């Protein structure tokens, strides 16, 4: 990916839209197969990491739907908490979620828990529109995850999650970008200590 010039469109924006379109074009059967494989890989990674509070995102624009995988993780033992991001004046925080949680429309009309019960995840499942071999991800350009990760202490473990079609050679990371600890696709852990 080459840097933008005054006469050319932003290459990150062009890449983002191209890969979102490709993701949304996946047929139902392939999406289900990929999602099931991702859920298996995440289950093994979560078992090794043993987090108490897992943050994840409601599926948006064809992203991997992690709701069933997170619900299965929740059911796997006592004391586990799942949470969804809520965008607020400070940037972003996470609110506790369970499969029976009443939801309401949040920013960008993405569902958020109607009752805001703030929790701090110790592991985040972060959607990726694109990723490279160094663990950098391309989100939607708002910087919510990067700004939040920069201020959270201790910083949660980060696991980028997406389909393998999101892999690119080099995202040309910017100064504020924070790489993921792992990235998981239907092909397994493709970035991280055991990749």
């Amino acid at each position: 990916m080459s840097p933008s010039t005054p006469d050319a469109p932003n290459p990150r924006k062009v890449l983002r839209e191209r890969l979102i379109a490709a993701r949304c074009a996946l047929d139902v059967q392939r999406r289900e197969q990929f999602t099931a494989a991702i859920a298996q890989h995440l289950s093994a990674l979560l078992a090794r990491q043993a987090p108490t509070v897992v943050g994840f995102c409601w599926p948006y624009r064809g992203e991997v739907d992690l709701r069933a995988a997170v619900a299965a993780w929740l059911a796997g033992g006592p004391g586990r908490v799942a949470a969804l991001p809520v965008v607020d004046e400070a940037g972003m925080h996470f609110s506790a979620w369970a499969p029976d949680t009443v939801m309401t429309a949040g920013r960008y009309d993405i569902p958020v828990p109607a009752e805001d019960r703030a929790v701090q995840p110790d592991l985040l499942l972060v959607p990726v529109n694109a990723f490279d071999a160094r663990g950098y991800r391309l989100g939607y350009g708002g910087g919510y995850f990067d700004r939040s990760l920069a201020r959270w202490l201790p910083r949660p473990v980060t696991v980028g999650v997406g389909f393998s079609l999101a892999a690119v050679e080099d995202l040309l990371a910017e100064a504020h970008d924070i790489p993921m600890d792992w990235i998981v696709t239907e092909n397994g852990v493709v970035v991280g200590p055991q990749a």
Side-chain angles (χ1 to χ4, degrees):
M1 193 165 72
S2 58
S4 64
T5 63
D7 298 330
N10 181 316
R12 288 167 74 100
K13 182 176 182 182
V14 171
L15 177 65
R16 177 185 299 117
E17 291 308 316
R18 180 173 60 82
L19 292 176
I20 290 172
R23 182 175 71 207
C24 289
L26 285 172
D27 65 67
V28 172
Q29 183 179 10
R30 182 169 291 173
R31 178 179 297 279
E32 288 174 353
Q33 289 171 344
F34 289 174
T35 299
I38 289 168
Q40 285 185 328
H41 300 308
L42 284 177
S43 178
L45 183 58
L46 290 172
R48 286 193 303 275
Q49 291 296 305
T52 302
V53 181
V54 170
F56 75 107
C57 293
W58 197 270
Y60 178 66
R61 297 187 72 186
E63 292 170 348
V64 179
D65 187 346
L66 297 176
R67 289 175 290 178
V70 171
W73 174 79
L74 278 173
R80 296 178 176 185
V81 177
L84 290 168
V86 177
V87 175
D88 58 22
E89 299 77 29
M92 182 176 69
H93 70 276
F94 278 77
S95 182
W97 173 89
D100 61 352
T101 296
V102 176
M103 305 295 286
T104 189
R107 186 169 283 195
Y108 311 113
D109 287 328
I110 298 172
V112 297
E115 180 186 352
D116 192 355
R117 295 179 293 136
V119 294
Q120 182 64 45
D122 48 6
L123 185 144
L124 291 176
L125 303 175
V126 184
V128 299
N129 291 318
F131 67 89
D132 67 21
R134 297 178 301 152
Y136 287 102
R137 66 177 274 278
L138 181 64
Y140 290 97
Y144 294 112
F145 275 101
D146 289 321
R147 285 195 309 273
S148 296
L149 288 170
R151 67 180 163 82
W152 286 339
L153 293 173
R155 184 180 292 173
V157 172
T158 54
V159 181
V161 181
F163 300 120
S164 61
L165 60 80
V168 299
E169 186 175 325
D170 188 351
L171 278 175
L172 299 178
E174 298 175 342
H176 64 274
D177 291 336
I178 297 174
M180 302 286 98
D181 297 310
W182 283 274
I183 292 183
V184 175
T185 73
E186 71 275 12
N187 296 325
V189 176
V190 295
V191 172
Q194 62 269 63

